[in-house]
Amino acid sequence: MTDNTQQPAHGPHSASADLPTQYAPAEVEEKLYERWVERGYFEADEESGKDPYAIVIPPPNVTGSLHLGHAFEHTLIDALTRRKRMQGYETLWQPGMDHAGIATQNIVERELAKEGKSRHDLGREAFVERVWRWKAESGGQISGQMRRLGDGVDWSRERFTMDEGLSRAVQTIFKRLYDDELIYRAERIINWCPRCLTAISDIEVEYQDDEGELVSIRYGEGEDSVVVATTRAETMLGDTAVAVHPDDDRYAHLVGRRIALPLTDRSIPVVADEHVDPEFGTGAVKVTPAHDPNDFEIGRRHDLPQQTVMDEHAVITVHGPFQGLDRLEARSAIVAALRAEGRIVAEKRPYTHSVGHCSRCKTTIEPRLSMQWWVKVAPLARAAGDAVRDGRVTIHPKEMESRYFGWVDNLHDWCISRQLWWGHRIPVWYGPGGEVRCVGPDEEPPSGEGWRQETDVLDTWFSSGLWPFSTLGWPERTRSLEKFYPNSVLVTGYDILFFWVARMMMFGLYAMDGTPPFRTVALHGMVRDQFGKKMSKSFGNAVDPLEWMDEYGSDAVRFTLARGANPGVDVPIGEDWVQASRNFANKIWNATRFALLNGATVEGPLPAPEELSAADRWILSRLGAVVSEADAHYDDYQFAKLSDGLFHFAWDEVFDWYVELTKTTFQAGGRPAEVSRRVLGEVLDVVLRLLHPLVPFVTEELWTTLTGRESVVVADWPADSGFRDRAAEEEIAAVRHLVTEVRRFRADQGLQPGQRVPARMDLTATPLAAHEAAMRALLRLQPAGEDFTATASLPIAGATVALDLSGAIDVGAERKRLTKDLAAAEKELKQTTAKLGNDGFLSKAPDHVVVKIRARREAAEADIARITAQLERLPQG
RNA sequence: GGGUGCAUAGCUCAGCGGUAGAGCGCCGCCCUUACAAGGCGGAUGUCGGCGGUUCGAACCCGUCUGCACCCACCA
């Protein structure tokens, strides 16, 4: 051992030898994060002259804690913003949380229930105060988790959708929409959750196939009777018609007549309506306008009365034997009563049909006639669709566009009122004489006798739809708004494309004079378990990201998630894979340790090309290419390719091959060792910077140690040096190939490390078949008969023998297989082999074609000899 | 009913016209002074089925089968 392999040649990093042999995330992460925040790296300056780059956080619900899906999303956003920050953009990653109306109210109500109380025991004001208290605790938990993840958010700008400023934005846009007649109040069939006791919008309803029972009931008497089928017998109390198809001859005689409604003293008309499918069931439908959206429409067309039969708890309100029964009890009671009257004409049969459930509590939705507030979405949605259609906003991956269009082009009006207490109260006052007044943020509410404010609050997505500009101070024209609106990109899950993305598009375009809220939407998939199953608490496969971060480090969790992130595709993640990422972090750690121990340096210019060894030129050439690839993948939101590419470059090429090659250089010492120290330093410097956005902690710790500089967070993003050396790349590829073959040979022959190769050995068994197969595949020529031969010799015991890879192929069979034109075949072969970095040619003979490949191995002969010699000395690599 | 994807190694997935790949798992050898959370070598695939286009198809076209998701909706 010489001194210069033990001591850094120069530089300030002698302390680096103290790095432990394993990376311990727990010891550095918290310290580094606090340092970043203290130094203000993540704070965005709206007065800066730099170009802006802004992303808003999809605000997590204050309910509870972050799950792996958040960790995933945050990793992507953090990687994007960290890179842009390094590239010199004025970067804003806007943090904040959503008040999550129903979800939060449900949780706090559940807490109250444990104390035996309901929200009504507290009253509205005290209840809301209680929710605020709860929010204070829960919100803190979330920001703690974000710090653990390393999220580079600007904490000084944290917002909450119920903040004063954001509430002002809500009131402002409500008033503007109201004045533009895009918000209105109307009585319609809405999706009612009898447990949450509120209306919900169409997309908050989840449909699933439920088992029901279809019963057939005879309405009317004798000639004037008709059989209807239903799964919801209890609604018959509210029937106000029977509908049949206008062309249905079976019932033509009944249309316009009235028939008796069983169990009541009412009679109802038979109407003809196109909606009825004559093929389905009996072709006759009971019509309950107050409890079914389709029936409501039929009722409208035929001017039918709307008979409400259930209250908000889905309990029957009609006087009589069924009053007070809930909908399920009423269903069986009514069927029993009908059977007693002989009106059940077909036994009930099991019937699977799609039933709506509340997305918050899974209770079966009760469609219900109700007075609610609505947004008239058609004009807003048209603008939202056009912004994507005309390219002002692009959606990644592109396949998701059709989903987006399918939705914005077919929207029903949006029910925005909720019968909750937690949320933005609708800024409308009702006067004593029936007046309705919408109050803007700078107006005094009416105060006279008899005025009262609307008690409903707004759908939580109403305020989150304003997020890209409300967080920047809108409706004020703030400097922040000018600087950071529109956002550069929106990163979110495809599951909230309609809930959130489309709403932001509608509101953004409307409020910001036609400027969309972001230029690009990058949609990611959902995190799943290692078998591709959806993660859920009830299934028991949900993972708390904190547990994994504790065990393996935040970088490992982040890298695993990034590595699975193909655009728009779900991401499976398993603990094994996090371990693999942890191993990678440790590998980076130890490779850097090796570099430091051997005096790698980042100081001074790179040595001139003529001083570089083939290995140096190869790795620098590859480094340039990798920087460009990484840039392309970042720009295209290809996180999986990005991560995988960097993983393999770092591990296979830099850590395995280049580092191994430098070992002999370092041992030899002298000027070549100096050169390689600088090159190794350069390569690690760049690799750490490239990896930093994905794995911020380990790279920060190592980069600052390696370079002695302040922080990689504010380091320059690497640029492609433009240096390329095809010859060196091929040369090293040849070296790698040969070394691998020698190793394989030794392994096949069972040679122990350190054991010298005997002078004579039988080689026939080993690599020849591989060469032959490669030849065949390469040429895409199946050998006809047994004419094909290939021979190869390997450098053993220091002696290198030229490889003679040639084959003779019977042309009789091949001539058909190739084209009739051999010249064309030759041309194609040339192209093919050129792609593979080899020379190839066909030579024609009367009865056969000789195909030869000349691999450029001669060029590498010197290195091959050297490496082979080293292999004799260094038994394994 | 309408739409969008997907079927490739034991598992989870890349590749999308030119030598079938990765991670994990598996087998063998090695505690070699950066790293055993490591190193070296290896095995494993009718690339879902059937047709077609092409000199050449995992990749393009058609078709079938099976899955997933979204939308509409089922009296």
Side-chain angles (χ1 to χ4, degrees):
Chain A
M1 290 300 152
T2 55
D3 282 343
N4 61 7
T5 61
Q6 295 288 3
Q7 299 294 326
H10 55 270
H13 322 304
S14 47
S16 56
D18 299 338
L19 287 181
T21 61
Q22 289 195 353
Y23 170 51
E27 286 166 27
V28 301
E29 289 181 355
E30 193 181 344
K31 170 193 80 183
L32 293 180
Y33 191 84
E34 292 314 317
R35 187 189 297 165
W36 294 333
V37 171
E38 273 165 31
R39 291 182 182 168
Y41 291 156
F42 304 141
E43 284 171 31
D45 179 6
E46 65 271 13
E47 303 297 340
S48 153
K50 299 175 184 174
D51 286 342
Y53 186 83
I55 301 184
V56 289
I57 192 173
N61 291 351
V62 283
T63 55
S65 59
L66 302 186
H67 53 246
L68 265 181
H70 293 110
F72 174 51
E73 185 167 87
H74 291 199
T75 296
L76 305 187
I77 298 176
D78 199 43
L80 289 173
T81 49
R82 280 178 186 270
R83 167 170 175 258
K84 286 291 175 181
R85 193 176 290 117
M86 291 171 76
Q87 284 183 322
Y89 288 81
E90 191 60 40
T91 302
L92 169 61
W93 180 171
Q94 167 71 49
M97 280 174 262
D98 195 289
H99 68 281
I102 294 190
T104 309
Q105 174 158 332
N106 280 353
I107 286 180
V108 176
E109 283 193 277
R110 223 173 294 145
E111 255 187 21
L112 280 178
K114 281 183 209 152
E115 302 164 20
K117 284 188 253 179
S118 82
R119 71 184 208 244
H120 300 282
D121 295 330
L122 297 188
R124 183 163 187 151
E125 209 169 305
F127 177 77
V128 168
E129 204 170 292
R130 169 113 186 196
V131 181
W132 275 105
R133 278 212 307 277
W134 187 85
K135 179 255 168 188
E137 295 167 27
S138 178
Q141 192 182 341
I142 287 171
S143 56
Q145 287 173 303
M146 289 174 62
R147 287 165 193 272
R148 283 295 311 278
L149 273 166
D151 292 351
V153 300
D154 184 349
W155 289 110
S156 71
R157 292 172 182 263
E158 190 175 4
R159 295 290 183 273
F160 180 54
T161 49
M162 290 276 282
D163 279 352
E164 205 181 320
L166 274 67
S167 300
R168 189 179 162 78
V170 166
Q171 198 174 349
T172 303
I173 199 160
F174 188 98
K175 168 78 172 162
R176 201 185 280 183
L177 286 163
Y178 182 86
D179 291 343
D180 284 348
E181 297 182 349
L182 292 171
I183 283 183
Y184 62 94
R185 191 166 180 250
E187 187 173 52
R188 299 236 183 110
I189 290 278
I190 46 88
N191 306 294
W192 182 264
C193 176
R195 202 219 60 86
C196 299
L197 298 179
T198 179
I200 59 177
S201 64
D202 290 348
I203 51 175
E204 288 169 285
V205 179
E206 291 172 356
Y207 285 89
Q208 63 184 60
D209 282 344
D210 283 358
E211 284 291 317
E213 283 170 340
L214 194 63
V215 291
S216 298
I217 307 166
R218 178 178 302 280
Y219 282 15
E221 305 298 338
E223 283 289 298
D224 289 353
S225 79
V226 62
V227 175
V228 299
T230 183
T231 52
R232 304 209 52 207
E234 71 278 16
T235 63
M236 68 156 294
L237 299 176
D239 285 0
T240 55
V242 167
V244 297
H245 193 272
D247 301 332
D248 195 332
D249 295 338
R250 292 172 295 179
Y251 302 113
H253 68 286
L254 285 173
V255 173
R257 312 205 27 192
R258 296 185 75 87
I259 57 178
L261 181 64
L263 307 181
T264 71
D265 51 10
R266 292 192 291 125
S267 71
I268 55 176
V270 177
V271 299
D273 194 280
E274 296 279 347
H275 172 261
V276 179
D277 174 6
E279 305 292 321
F280 188 94
T282 59
V285 188
K286 60 189 276 306
V287 181
T288 323
H291 292 282
D292 182 278
N294 289 314
D295 293 3
F296 177 77
E297 292 301 324
I298 295 174
R300 269 233 283 239
R301 286 194 284 272
H302 300 278
D303 205 21
L304 301 173
Q306 298 156 339
Q307 175 76 45
T308 298
V309 298
M310 280 179 268
D311 67 7
E312 68 267 24
H313 297 98
V315 168
I316 301 292
T317 53
V318 181
H319 285 294
F322 310 111
Q323 188 173 11
L325 299 180
D326 81 22
R327 53 187 167 174
L328 285 179
E329 296 166 343
R331 187 174 303 168
S332 41
I334 285 172
V335 170
L338 288 166
R339 179 172 290 116
E341 289 193 11
R343 290 193 172 271
I344 300 296
V345 299
E347 268 318 302
K348 45 186 186 176
R349 61 183 174 90
Y351 180 70
T352 304
H353 62 144
S354 176
V355 176
H357 297 259
C358 172
S359 62
R360 281 296 155 200
C361 70
K362 312 304 173 199
T363 302
T364 302
I365 289 302
E366 188 59 46
R368 185 162 186 263
L369 190 63
S370 176
M371 183 66 86
Q372 301 287 343
W373 287 91
W374 304 82
V375 169
K376 185 174 169 187
V377 295
L380 300 169
R382 197 175 311 121
D386 288 344
V388 175
R389 255 185 287 273
D390 65 24
R392 278 176 293 153
V393 176
T394 52
I395 296 181
H396 284 267
K398 206 161 177 13
E399 303 88 79
M400 289 290 175
E401 276 186 7
S402 58
R403 227 185 245 204
Y404 175 81
F405 290 136
W407 198 71
V408 294
D409 294 344
N410 294 293
L411 272 185
H412 296 203
D413 282 358
W414 172 17
C415 176
I416 52 170
S417 45
R418 298 288 179 274
Q419 289 66 54
L420 304 171
W421 286 352
W422 175 241
H424 299 98
R425 196 157 165 185
I426 289 176
V428 167
W429 270 256
Y430 302 107
E435 306 97 308
V436 177
R437 196 185 300 171
C438 178
V439 176
D442 296 318
E443 297 166 356
E444 282 297 316
S447 55
E449 180 74 19
W451 283 91
R452 58 190 174 81
Q453 188 180 357
E454 169 65 61
T455 54
D456 289 355
V457 302
L458 288 166
D459 181 2
T460 197
W461 297 101
F462 191 94
S463 55
S464 30
L466 314 177
W467 191 245
F469 49 97
S470 64
T471 50
L472 295 171
W474 189 90
E476 261 57 70
R477 284 266 147 202
T478 61
R479 299 279 295 136
S480 283
L481 190 66
E482 283 171 26
K483 183 84 183 173
F484 298 114
Y485 188 97
N487 293 167
S488 308
V489 55
L490 176 79
V491 179
T492 193
Y494 63 72
D495 59 327
I496 54 174
L497 184 60
F498 307 147
F499 279 103
W500 193 44
V501 181
R503 265 79 180 261
M504 282 190 287
M505 289 286 287
M506 296 195 296
F507 282 164
L509 289 161
Y510 176 77
M512 298 298 292
D513 306 316
T515 307
F518 24 72
R519 298 197 187 87
T520 302
V521 178
L523 294 168
H524 64 244
M526 304 293 110
V527 174
R528 291 168 175 271
D529 76 6
Q530 59 194 308
F531 303 111
K533 279 218 170 68
K534 210 177 217 169
M535 280 198 178
S536 74
K537 276 178 200 154
S538 54
F539 196 72
N541 61 350
V543 174
D544 179 355
L546 280 179
E547 282 179 25
W548 280 352
M549 286 193 277
D550 286 343
E551 173 121 34
Y552 304 109
S554 297
D555 289 331
V557 174
R558 291 172 58 120
F559 195 74
T560 308
L561 290 163
R563 217 174 159 195
N566 288 112
V569 176
D570 288 349
V571 186
I573 184 169
E575 189 162 355
D576 289 353
W577 310 345
V578 182
Q579 284 171 9
S581 298
R582 182 269 316 266
N583 295 353
F584 180 50
N586 194 53
K587 188 74 182 176
I588 301 169
W589 180 267
N590 275 294
T592 309
R593 243 184 103 227
F594 169 84
L596 291 164
L597 289 168
N598 286 284
T601 176
V602 298
E603 302 300 332
L606 282 177
E610 51 275 17
E611 283 202 282
L612 301 171
S613 70
D616 294 333
R617 280 180 279 121
W618 158 69
I619 201 69
L620 289 174
S621 177
R622 286 287 301 132
L623 184 68
V626 165
V627 170
S628 283
E629 280 164 27
D631 275 327
H633 289 147
Y634 266 117
D635 288 338
D636 206 25
Y637 311 101
Q638 294 282 358
F639 293 96
K641 290 188 178 73
L642 168 74
S643 311
D644 207 53
L646 291 176
F647 175 89
H648 284 291
F649 174 69
W651 200 314
D652 300 347
E653 300 189 63
V654 180
F655 303 157
D656 276 354
W657 283 95
Y658 185 69
V659 162
E660 290 305 321
L661 289 169
T662 61
K663 281 180 180 173
T664 54
T665 313
F666 289 154
Q667 273 178 3
R671 180 60 191 163
E674 289 297 309
V675 169
S676 283
R677 279 192 188 92
R678 179 66 190 90
V679 173
L680 180 58
E682 176 73 11
V683 172
L684 278 176
D685 175 12
V686 171
V687 165
L688 289 172
R689 282 186 282 153
L690 287 175
L691 282 167
H692 174 256
L694 298 167
V695 285
F697 294 108
V698 69
T699 50
E700 171 77 333
E701 185 74 2
L702 292 172
W703 191 84
T704 51
T705 308
L706 177 72
T707 65
R709 299 196 192 117
E710 180 185 305
S711 171
V712 69
V713 175
V714 289
D716 288 339
W717 183 248
D720 180 356
S721 63
F723 177 84
R724 294 292 189 283
D725 191 330
R726 268 305 287 273
E729 288 190 27
E730 287 174 11
E731 194 175 325
I732 299 298
V735 169
R736 287 173 60 173
H737 182 80
L738 280 183
V739 168
T740 301
E741 291 212 337
V742 171
R743 285 172 179 166
R744 185 199 310 191
F745 174 78
R746 299 187 63 112
D748 286 349
Q749 298 295 326
L751 295 175
Q752 292 299 304
Q755 185 182 344
R756 287 191 69 87
V757 177
R760 284 164 184 244
M761 298 193 70
D762 179 10
L763 303 181
T764 48
T766 323
L768 301 182
H771 281 300
E772 190 177 329
M775 276 291 286
R776 288 180 189 173
L778 181 65
L779 299 175
R780 299 160 293 107
L781 294 172
Q782 302 297 324
E786 299 301 316
D787 288 342
F788 187 93
T789 58
T791 57
S793 302
L794 290 172
I796 299 300
T800 312
V801 183
L803 300 171
D804 175 18
L805 298 175
S806 63
I809 292 155
D810 174 52
V811 81
E814 291 311 316
R815 205 180 282 270
K816 288 177 201 153
R817 199 185 292 269
L818 294 166
T819 57
K820 285 137 202 156
D821 184 356
L822 274 175
E826 183 167 14
K827 189 176 160 204
E828 201 191 321
L829 177 68
K830 286 241 181 239
Q831 286 171 351
T832 302
T833 51
K835 268 185 210 166
L836 298 165
N838 289 308
D839 293 331
F841 58 90
L842 277 172
S843 69
K844 283 154 272 183
D847 57 348
H848 68 280
V849 181
V850 175
V851 186
K852 289 193 176 175
I853 298 285
R854 183 160 46 86
R856 291 194 181 143
R857 293 190 176 170
E858 308 85 76
E861 227 167 86
D863 275 300
I864 292 167
R866 202 186 73 225
I867 295 286
T868 312
Q870 285 164 12
L871 282 167
E872 290 300 319
R873 232 177 300 128
L874 300 172
Q876 295 281 339

